[in-house]
Amino acid sequence: MIACAVRIFLVVCCLAATVCGANVRTVWLIGDSTMRNGAKGLLGWGTPLAGMFDPKKVKVENRALPGRSSRSYLEEGNWDKVLKLAKPGDFVIMQFGHNDDGEVEAGNPVPSLAGNGNQTRKLKLRNDGGAQEVHTYGWYLRNYIGAARAAKLNTVVCSPVPRNVWKDGRIVRADADFAKWAAEAAKEGGVWFVDLNRSIADRYDAMGPEKVRAFFPADSTHTNAAGARLNAQCVVDGLKAANCPLGFWARIWKKK
C-alpha cells in the first residue's frame, strides 16, 4: 500500500511539473544490446523509444552497453557514470538478464547468481589472487533501485525481452526465472515494473513464427529496426499500464 501511494504521488508531481513547464526530464536507459545495438542491421528498443517523446519534454539518454549483465554493468563503473550525470527527478529504465545467465566462475566477470535472494559466492581472481563476491540477479537490481532512490531518481524495472525461441507453438517465456526475479525486485523496491517479456511474447504469439522470424536477421536475441519499434511500443504500453508518468507523456507527446 505504501509503495502504491508513493507511485501515485510521483505521478501527480511529475505531471504537474510538466504542465507548469518544468525543465526537460531525462530518461536514462541502462542494460544490454537489446536496448542499444550498433551492429549492422540490428537495433535495440532504446533507439526508437526516444522518438516516442517530444524532445522538448523528455530526453532519452541510452547508456545501455552490449554484452553487459546486471553484475558487469555495475562492476565496470557504468552505473556510477550515470549517477554522476543524472539529476533529481530524472528517470532510469533498466533491463538486464540476457547476459546474466551462465556459469559463475573465476575469470568470467559477467554472469550473476540465479534468483532474487541474498546468496553470494566468492570467487578467486586469476590475476592477483584476490576474492570477488558475486550476488544474485535480483540483488543487483535492488542495488540499482536503492542507489537510484538515494539519488532521487524515478525507477522503472523491465523484464528482459524474449528471444525468438518457440515451444509448442508459443514463445518461451522467462516467467519462471528472470522475468519473475525482476518483478520481485521491483516490488520489493517499490518501483514501477514493466513485464516486457510477457507483453512482447504475447504479441509474438499472435503474429506467429513466420512473421516474428523477420525481426531477427542475425540470431534469436537481437532485433532489426522493425522488431525494435514493436518492443519500444510495448515499453510505452507497459509504462501506461503501470501508471508511470512517462507513459502518459508518450501518449500526449508521441510524434505523428
Side-chain angles (χ1 to χ4, degrees):
M1 292 296 292
I2 295 177
C4 181
V6 170
R7 287 195 291 269
I8 293 174
F9 175 76
L10 287 171
V11 170
V12 174
C13 289
C14 290
L15 290 175
T18 300
V19 172
C20 293
N23 293 334
V24 174
R25 295 281 185 173
T26 300
V27 180
W28 301 88
L29 306 183
I30 63 172
D32 55 39
S33 57
T34 61
M35 295 176 80
R36 181 184 177 193
N37 198 320
K40 185 177 180 180
L42 302 179
L43 196 69
W45 59 258
T47 302
L49 181 71
M52 294 181 175
F53 300 97
D54 182 342
K56 295 179 181 179
K57 298 295 180 182
V58 177
K59 177 184 178 182
V60 176
E61 287 284 351
N62 194 345
R63 297 306 174 98
L65 291 169
R68 270 54 173 198
S69 64
S70 63
R71 170 191 170 195
S72 63
Y73 192 92
L74 178 68
E75 292 181 347
E76 289 177 0
N78 300 302
W79 177 228
D80 287 337
K81 294 177 182 178
V82 171
L83 287 175
K84 289 179 181 179
L85 295 171
K87 299 177 181 179
D90 283 352
F91 285 77
V92 58
I93 300 178
M94 68 184 75
Q95 182 218 249
F96 293 101
H98 295 93
N99 301 304
D100 281 81
D101 198 12
E103 187 65 30
V104 176
E105 57 186 357
N108 189 350
V110 179
S112 60
L113 295 177
N116 181 45
N118 294 315
Q119 306 95 312
T120 61
R121 183 182 301 176
K122 287 189 176 181
L123 300 178
K124 189 174 183 180
L125 302 181
R126 289 180 177 177
N127 295 333
D128 58 12
Q132 181 184 46
E133 193 169 58
V134 181
H135 301 269
T136 66
Y137 168 75
W139 183 93
Y140 287 110
L141 295 189
R142 286 184 277 115
N143 183 283
Y144 289 115
I145 293 169
R149 178 180 292 109
K152 298 182 179 179
L153 306 179
N154 302 296
T155 306
V156 179
V157 173
C158 294
S159 57
V161 297
R163 291 181 167 89
N164 183 29
V165 178
W166 297 75
K167 183 178 180 181
D168 299 327
R170 299 178 73 245
I171 282 285
V172 174
R173 271 81 166 158
D175 49 10
D177 42 62
F178 288 103
K180 174 177 177 288
W181 302 328
E184 292 172 348
K187 183 176 181 179
E188 290 179 29
V191 299
W192 289 292
F193 175 66
V194 174
D195 195 353
L196 272 188
N197 191 266
R198 175 169 295 186
S199 61
I200 295 173
D202 288 345
R203 293 282 295 273
Y204 286 173
D205 285 351
M207 295 175 67
E210 186 175 348
K211 290 184 178 179
V212 172
R213 191 178 301 116
F215 293 151
F216 297 88
D219 53 36
S220 63
T221 303
H222 302 96
T223 61
N224 57 17
R229 286 194 294 270
L230 182 148
N231 292 349
Q233 186 58 58
C234 285
V235 173
V236 170
D237 292 344
L239 292 171
K240 293 177 184 177
N243 290 322
C244 176
L246 289 177
F248 296 107
W249 293 338
R251 180 180 61 187
I252 295 172
W253 302 111
K254 183 179 177 182
K255 292 178 180 289
K256 300 291 186 181

